[in-house]
Amino acid sequence: MKALLLVDLQNDFLPGGALPAPDGNSIIPVVNALIDQFELVIASKDWHPNNSIHFQKWPIHCLANSAGAAFPEELNQHKIKTVLLKGTRNSDDGYSAFEATNIQLTNILNENQVDQLYVCGLTTEYCVKNTVLDALNAGYQTYVVKEAVAAVKAQPGDEEKAWEEMQDAGAIIVHYA
Ligand code: VGL
Ligand code: ZN
């Protein structure tokens, strides 16, 4: 069975948020259309405590229970049954949805006999990339939907490098048509 994994589509990673992907808004309609095509939709959220070591590298973003950590209004949320919370510890960057602390992603995938994982969301260079690499390592056939992913563009060149890394590790880059 196939599943859609929506990574960190949260207000703080959208324009106007604390750590925005400049083109983040453009993925929302694509993600909404994708959600309609999947029976199993799982989402992750970046969910940090305010004293996280993560904030030595990044501006404060996605504090647990904050408005910045919420899904945007425009997101079609009705099919999202499971929300994985990651980066929840002080010591923890939690760049991958496989590092969620409230629920084990592998358990959900195994219980549902998922073998094909479609990944979308934010951001290309960090949480999407790390999630995709972990999924490939765990043996899932992993697809990344190009038009449903956007980059934070913190360092020039990192976005392109992230796509190459994912592809080199075996990810299948697909286009939303
Ligand atoms: C992310 C930087 C810091 C992400 C999370 O979701 O890609 N990036 N925290
Ligand atoms: Zn974060």
Side-chain angles (χ1 to χ4, degrees), residues 7-8 10 13 19 46 48 54 58 61-62 86 93-95 122-128 152:
V7 175
D8 298 12
Q10 294 167 270
F13 295 125
L19 184 53
D46 215 34
H48 299 302
H54 190 61
W58 298 106
H61 62 276
C62 294
K86 61 185 193 49
D93 285 308
Y95 289 132
L122 304 171
T123 64
T124 315
E125 313 94 308
Y126 294 94
C127 292
V128 170
V152 69

XYZ file of all heavy atoms in Angstrom, residues 7-8 10 13 19 46 48 54 58 61-62 86 93-95 122-128 152, ligand 1:
206
model
N 5.605 16.516 5.332
C 6.633 16.942 6.291
C 6.501 18.435 6.587
O 6.589 19.276 5.675
C 8.040 16.637 5.710
C 9.132 17.173 6.633
C 8.220 15.136 5.476
N 6.246 18.774 7.827
C 6.439 20.139 8.366
C 5.816 21.264 7.539
O 6.433 22.317 7.361
C 7.938 20.424 8.540
C 8.603 19.486 9.531
O 7.980 18.485 9.917
O 9.764 19.750 9.898
N 4.031 23.890 8.037
C 3.643 24.668 9.222
C 3.854 26.151 8.964
O 4.734 26.546 8.185
C 4.506 24.231 10.413
C 4.252 22.797 10.859
C 5.322 22.317 11.810
O 6.336 21.769 11.370
N 5.128 22.523 13.108
N 7.259 27.890 8.565
C 8.075 27.608 7.378
C 7.480 28.230 6.117
O 7.962 27.973 5.011
C 8.252 26.094 7.189
C 9.025 25.437 8.294
C 8.493 24.363 9.004
C 10.299 25.878 8.628
C 9.203 23.759 10.025
C 11.015 25.281 9.658
C 10.468 24.215 10.354
N 10.907 31.069 9.954
C 11.990 30.427 9.186
C 11.416 29.993 7.838
O 11.289 28.801 7.546
C 12.532 29.232 9.991
C 13.727 28.453 9.468
C 14.906 29.360 9.147
C 14.137 27.374 10.470
N 7.387 19.916 13.139
C 8.521 20.367 13.925
C 7.894 20.943 15.208
O 6.935 21.728 15.148
C 9.225 21.467 13.110
C 10.725 21.492 13.265
O 11.334 20.417 13.418
O 11.299 22.607 13.213
N 9.261 22.188 18.866
C 10.433 22.387 19.724
C 10.097 22.991 21.086
O 9.222 23.856 21.184
C 11.425 23.327 19.038
C 11.961 22.840 17.725
N 12.633 21.648 17.585
C 11.939 23.406 16.481
C 12.995 21.506 16.314
N 12.583 22.546 15.627
N 18.716 23.339 19.290
C 18.379 23.621 17.887
C 18.423 25.137 17.614
O 18.790 25.566 16.523
C 16.969 23.073 17.691
C 16.445 23.001 16.300
N 17.032 22.250 15.311
C 15.323 23.559 15.748
C 16.294 22.345 14.205
N 15.258 23.135 14.438
N 19.346 28.025 14.567
C 18.182 28.530 13.836
C 17.452 29.590 14.660
O 17.467 29.526 15.885
C 17.187 27.376 13.581
C 17.734 26.274 12.747
C 18.115 25.029 13.165
C 17.961 26.295 11.334
N 18.569 24.278 12.106
C 18.486 25.038 10.967
C 17.780 27.267 10.337
C 18.827 24.722 9.652
C 18.123 26.949 9.030
C 18.638 25.692 8.698
N 11.567 28.870 16.095
C 10.463 28.533 15.195
C 9.754 27.303 15.738
O 10.336 26.519 16.502
C 10.996 28.238 13.786
C 11.926 27.058 13.755
N 13.267 27.177 14.052
C 11.696 25.737 13.531
C 13.824 25.971 13.990
N 12.897 25.075 13.688
N 8.524 27.122 15.331
C 7.750 25.916 15.640
C 7.847 25.504 17.109
O 8.095 24.331 17.429
C 8.171 24.758 14.737
S 7.775 25.048 13.006
N 8.269 15.986 16.203
C 9.716 15.734 16.195
C 10.487 16.991 16.583
O 9.942 18.093 16.502
C 10.142 15.248 14.814
C 9.854 16.291 13.762
C 10.158 15.761 12.408
C 10.169 16.868 11.403
N 10.974 18.042 11.779
N 17.670 17.956 17.239
C 17.253 18.723 16.058
C 15.979 18.129 15.456
O 15.104 18.850 15.017
C 18.357 18.722 14.988
C 19.514 19.650 15.343
O 19.262 20.819 15.644
O 20.671 19.179 15.299
N 15.933 16.814 15.414
C 14.732 16.151 14.886
C 14.436 16.521 13.453
O 13.313 16.877 13.107
N 15.420 16.414 12.581
C 15.202 16.776 11.181
C 14.388 15.732 10.427
O 13.887 16.019 9.337
C 16.546 16.975 10.463
C 17.309 18.214 10.875
C 18.658 18.145 11.200
C 16.689 19.468 10.899
C 19.377 19.281 11.546
C 17.399 20.611 11.253
C 18.741 20.513 11.572
O 19.452 21.638 11.911
N 8.029 20.594 3.659
C 9.083 21.587 3.888
C 10.084 21.031 4.909
O 9.662 20.314 5.820
C 8.451 22.868 4.433
C 7.321 23.492 3.554
C 6.636 24.624 4.292
C 7.859 23.957 2.205
N 11.345 21.307 4.812
C 12.008 22.014 3.738
C 12.930 21.039 3.000
O 13.412 20.075 3.594
C 12.880 23.189 4.259
O 13.950 22.654 5.072
C 12.065 24.139 5.119
N 13.184 21.325 1.737
C 13.974 20.422 0.892
C 15.276 19.978 1.548
O 15.597 18.791 1.578
C 14.326 21.127 -0.438
O 13.171 21.794 -0.943
C 14.870 20.147 -1.459
N 16.042 20.963 2.067
C 17.419 20.675 2.500
C 17.497 20.037 3.881
O 18.542 19.493 4.238
C 18.262 21.958 2.551
C 18.172 22.864 1.359
C 17.115 23.952 1.563
O 15.966 23.609 1.903
O 17.445 25.127 1.371
N 16.454 20.145 4.671
C 16.543 19.669 6.055
C 15.558 18.536 6.310
O 15.919 17.363 6.232
C 16.398 20.843 7.044
C 17.581 21.760 6.910
C 17.543 22.876 6.086
C 18.799 21.426 7.516
C 18.673 23.665 5.893
C 19.920 22.211 7.336
C 19.855 23.325 6.523
O 20.978 24.082 6.332
N 14.332 18.868 6.609
C 13.451 17.798 7.083
C 12.947 16.888 5.979
O 12.792 15.687 6.206
C 12.335 18.395 7.928
S 13.042 19.066 9.460
N 12.748 17.414 4.780
C 12.360 16.517 3.683
C 13.535 15.594 3.367
O 13.384 14.368 3.323
C 11.902 17.308 2.437
C 11.741 16.384 1.231
C 10.592 18.041 2.735
N 14.269 26.111 2.151
C 14.446 27.285 3.007
C 15.543 28.205 2.450
O 15.587 29.383 2.760
C 14.690 26.850 4.475
C 16.040 26.180 4.664
C 14.518 28.000 5.451
C 13.493 22.438 9.404
C 15.274 23.850 9.843
C 15.018 23.778 11.185
C 12.647 21.737 8.404
C 13.246 22.341 10.757
O 11.474 21.423 8.707
O 13.134 21.490 7.283
N 14.511 23.184 8.967
N 14.000 23.018 11.635
